[in-house]
């Protein structure tokens, strides 16, 4: 019998270079399936959005090709790719070949409210691609880079840019089936993603191009000039109980724990009440929080507190009636929140929920303050909301099964 090799000092190995992502994509992207592949798309898109949010360019184009490749074009300043004297390396190496390298680690400046896996996204996506082509136009020059399966091929090519060329970055890549179990991202994902980004990035145009036949593209543009307010108006449709309103707070500072440093937060919310439509969505640093977390808890607490106080002040409760619950409000609420913070605690890499304590506290206080003012300045709307919430409460109470009903239905 052959003796098995023992577990000793030589048994420990380390993944290097592209293998750090190619062999463990779920560590970076949250999944080695389609969801992880989709998240890589958002990482490249988020860099373009950061540039536009900083005031550089107002058009972002994302293209889905028949061969499975994807391209994102922006009109920003162009990603720095030339020699970095401080790091003694080319910037293209740092951005596309080095994890935890980038221009978004400072708390201030253009990227203090940056999206994406700061310092990870471009490199990780490049590592996870069958190929990636990068074109950068800046400083009057056009730079070209080509990568295959995580390795650069041919180095950096530099030439004079056409005089008519707009500065910006163009990245085309093809997710690698050796890395992801599924790379067939449906057109619906792209359309939904860019629409959501148009909602939370007011004034930026997102163009989605979908190649349906070789050389033929279907195009759709998304632009919400007034951001959340336009979106809530669209979601609610006609016949709302109240017109959409928008609240935005000045920048606030605080911390999640007494022994931690302060960070900055900006909060915004748009909502209306309807007896036909119910929608609640939360965004943080432009990412859709499918599971909410801190903002969701803040909305629940803030709305219940403000409306309960109003109902009590107006004598709307029946004698002995219990306090309203958020479900009573939610049944008629169309609401979208979008907050930004310079420090974010996501529950996992896919960014579907955050758990920042200060974000929750700041938003709760903000909503209580603004709703109190809103009820005072809009007494007719306040009365409509109060009446509808109580109708929801009493209907729910009336239609809820009794304990006996529940026991007999098992």
């Amino acid at each position: 019998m052959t003796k098995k090799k023992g577990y000793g000092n030589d048994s420990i190995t380390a993944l290097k270079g592209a293998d750090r992502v190619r062999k463990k994509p779920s560590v970076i992207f949250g999944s080695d399936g389609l969801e992880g592949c989709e998240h890589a798309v958002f990482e490249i898109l988020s860099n373009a959005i950061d540039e536009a949010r900083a005031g550089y360019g107002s058009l972002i184009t994302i293209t889905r090709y028949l061969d499975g490749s994807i391209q994102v074009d922006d009109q920003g300043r162009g990603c720095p790719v030339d020699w970095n004297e401080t790091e003694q390396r080319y910037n293209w190496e740092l951005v596309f070949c080095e994890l935890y390298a980038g221009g978004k680690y400072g708390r201030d400046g253009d990227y203090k409210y940056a999206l994406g896996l700061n310092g990870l996204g471009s490199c990780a996506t490049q590592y996870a691609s069958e190929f990636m082509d990068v074109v950068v136009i800046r400083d009057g020059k056009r730079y070209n880079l080509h990568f295959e399966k995580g390795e650069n091929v041919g180095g950096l090519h530099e030439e004079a840019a056409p005089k008519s060329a707009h500065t910006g970055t163009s990245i085309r890549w093809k997710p690698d089936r050796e890395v992801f179990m599924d790379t067939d991202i449906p057109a619906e994902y792209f359309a939904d993603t860019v629409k959501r980004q148009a909602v939370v990035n007011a004034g930026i145009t997102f163009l989605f191009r979908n190649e349906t036949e070789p050389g033929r593209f279907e195009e759709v543009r998304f632009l919400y000039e007034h951001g959340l307010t336009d979106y809530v108006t669209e979601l609610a449709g006609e016949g709302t109980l109240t017109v959409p309103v928008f609240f935005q707070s000045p920048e606030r500072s605080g911390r999640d724990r007494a022994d931690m440093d302060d960070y900055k937060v900006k909060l915004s919310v748009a909502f209306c009440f309807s007896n036909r439509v119910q929608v609640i969505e939360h965004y943080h640093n432009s990412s859709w929080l499918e599971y909410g977390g801190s903002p969701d808890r803040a909305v629940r607490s803030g709305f219940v507190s403000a409306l309960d106080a109003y109902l009590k002040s107006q004598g709307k409760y029946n004698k002995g009636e219990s306090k309203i619950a958020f479900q009573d409000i939610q049944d008629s609420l169309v609401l979208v929140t979008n907050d930004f913070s310079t420090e974010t605690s996501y529950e996992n890499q896919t960014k579907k929920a955050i758990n920042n304590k200060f974000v929750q506290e700041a938003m709760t206080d903000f909503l209580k303050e603004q709703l109190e003012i809103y009820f005072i300045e809009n007494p007719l709307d306040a009365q409509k909301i109060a009446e509808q919430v109580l109708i929801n409460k009493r209907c729910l109470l009336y239609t809820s099964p009794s304990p006996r009903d529940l026991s007999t239905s098992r």
Side-chain angles (χ1 to χ4, degrees):
M1 179 180 290
T2 304
K3 190 174 182 179
K4 292 184 179 180
K5 184 178 179 180
Y7 179 61
N9 289 322
D10 293 338
S11 302
I12 306 300
T13 59
L15 294 177
K16 300 176 181 64
D19 282 348
R20 291 173 291 175
V21 174
R22 293 182 66 83
K23 292 188 176 181
K24 295 290 181 180
S26 59
V27 174
I28 299 293
F29 300 115
S31 166
D32 63 356
L34 185 62
E35 187 176 15
C37 189
E38 291 172 343
H39 190 72
V41 173
F42 183 76
E43 289 303 319
I44 301 300
L45 180 62
S46 68
N47 291 330
I49 295 171
D50 283 333
E51 276 291 280
R53 285 186 56 82
Y56 303 100
S58 59
L59 172 65
I60 296 171
T61 303
I62 184 166
T63 305
R64 175 182 183 264
Y65 290 98
L66 282 173
D67 68 355
S69 64
I70 304 145
Q71 183 168 320
V72 173
D73 300 279
D74 66 43
Q75 297 179 341
R77 291 165 291 184
C79 176
V81 292
D82 225 325
W83 183 253
N84 185 320
E85 190 64 31
T86 301
E87 296 291 337
Q88 289 293 296
R89 294 179 66 184
Y90 279 93
N91 278 315
W92 68 262
E93 295 179 283
L94 296 171
V95 172
F96 295 103
C97 303
E98 188 69 54
L99 296 173
Y100 299 103
K104 302 180 183 179
Y105 288 118
R107 291 191 174 188
D108 296 312
D110 292 338
Y111 292 139
K112 68 178 180 178
Y113 293 111
L115 288 66
L117 294 169
N118 300 344
L120 290 172
S122 295
C123 175
T125 302
Q126 188 276 112
Y127 279 164
S129 300
E130 185 176 320
F131 72 84
M132 176 181 280
D133 289 308
V134 180
V135 178
V136 174
I137 298 179
R138 61 175 288 140
D139 304 325
K141 299 177 181 178
R142 176 188 172 105
Y143 300 91
N144 294 272
L145 290 160
H146 177 70
F147 301 90
E148 295 180 5
K149 295 187 180 296
E151 299 293 333
N152 173 253
V153 179
L156 179 68
H157 293 272
E158 174 189 327
E159 60 187 12
K163 290 184 179 180
S164 60
H166 198 294
T167 60
T169 303
S170 174
I171 299 178
R172 180 172 177 176
W173 77 101
K174 185 176 182 180
D176 198 337
R177 289 183 63 86
E178 293 179 6
V179 177
F180 298 107
M181 296 294 291
D182 188 354
T183 60
D184 188 16
I185 303 175
E188 291 75 17
Y189 167 80
F190 292 95
D192 180 68
T193 298
V194 296
K195 178 177 180 177
R196 290 182 185 279
Q197 290 309 308
V199 167
V200 295
N201 292 287
I204 300 175
T205 297
F206 290 80
L207 172 62
F208 171 50
R209 304 171 70 241
N210 183 37
E211 189 175 28
T212 54
E213 297 177 24
R216 295 193 54 164
F217 298 85
E218 291 181 349
E219 297 185 353
V220 57
R221 289 176 183 266
F222 297 96
L223 170 65
Y224 289 82
E225 288 284 2
H226 302 101
L228 302 189
T229 305
D230 288 349
Y231 185 47
V232 166
T233 300
E234 176 186 297
L235 291 173
E238 299 179 353
T240 57
L241 291 172
T242 62
V243 297
V245 295
F246 178 72
F247 298 156
Q248 186 170 32
S249 78
E251 193 171 71
R252 301 181 178 212
S253 296
R255 60 187 65 184
D256 290 335
R257 222 171 52 202
D259 61 332
M260 300 176 73
D261 293 333
D262 282 359
Y263 61 90
K264 297 174 182 178
V265 172
K266 292 196 298 185
L267 309 166
S268 60
V269 57
F271 71 91
C272 70
F273 279 79
S274 168
N275 52 19
R276 299 184 304 106
V277 180
Q278 185 273 311
V279 181
I280 294 178
E281 292 181 2
H282 301 290
Y283 296 82
H284 181 81
N285 287 8
S286 292
S287 295
W288 175 41
L289 300 178
E290 187 176 353
Y291 305 133
S294 298
D296 184 63
R297 292 188 288 271
V299 166
R300 291 171 179 271
S301 177
F303 268 80
V304 168
S305 177
L307 268 167
D308 176 61
Y310 176 80
L311 291 168
K312 287 177 179 175
S313 71
Q314 299 296 309
K316 296 288 187 179
Y317 282 123
N318 293 331
K319 185 177 180 179
E321 187 173 18
S322 62
K323 174 182 174 179
I324 58 168
F326 184 67
Q327 182 65 55
D328 308 323
I329 301 169
Q330 179 177 316
D331 286 346
S332 299
L333 184 61
V334 181
L335 173 143
V336 181
T337 71
N338 185 32
D339 51 86
F340 290 85
S341 67
T342 53
E343 295 288 341
T344 304
S345 177
Y346 289 103
E347 291 189 357
N348 55 43
Q349 299 97 319
T350 55
K351 302 184 176 181
K352 299 202 176 196
I354 65 170
N355 54 21
N356 291 68
K357 184 180 179 183
F358 174 62
V359 170
Q360 181 177 336
E361 292 172 348
M363 182 174 282
T364 300
D365 292 341
F366 168 62
L367 286 172
K368 288 179 182 178
E369 296 163 2
Q370 294 300 309
L371 286 169
E372 181 179 356
I373 296 170
Y374 172 68
F375 293 154
I376 292 172
E377 294 181 348
N378 301 272
L380 293 180
D381 282 355
Q383 186 173 344
K384 288 179 185 178
I385 293 168
E387 291 174 353
Q388 185 61 52
V389 168
L390 287 175
I391 287 172
N392 295 343
K393 176 182 185 296
R394 291 161 185 166
C395 286
L396 184 64
L397 180 65
Y398 181 77
T399 57
S400 295
S402 67
R404 179 174 294 182
D405 292 334
L406 288 173
S407 64
T408 57
S409 64
R410 291 171 185 166

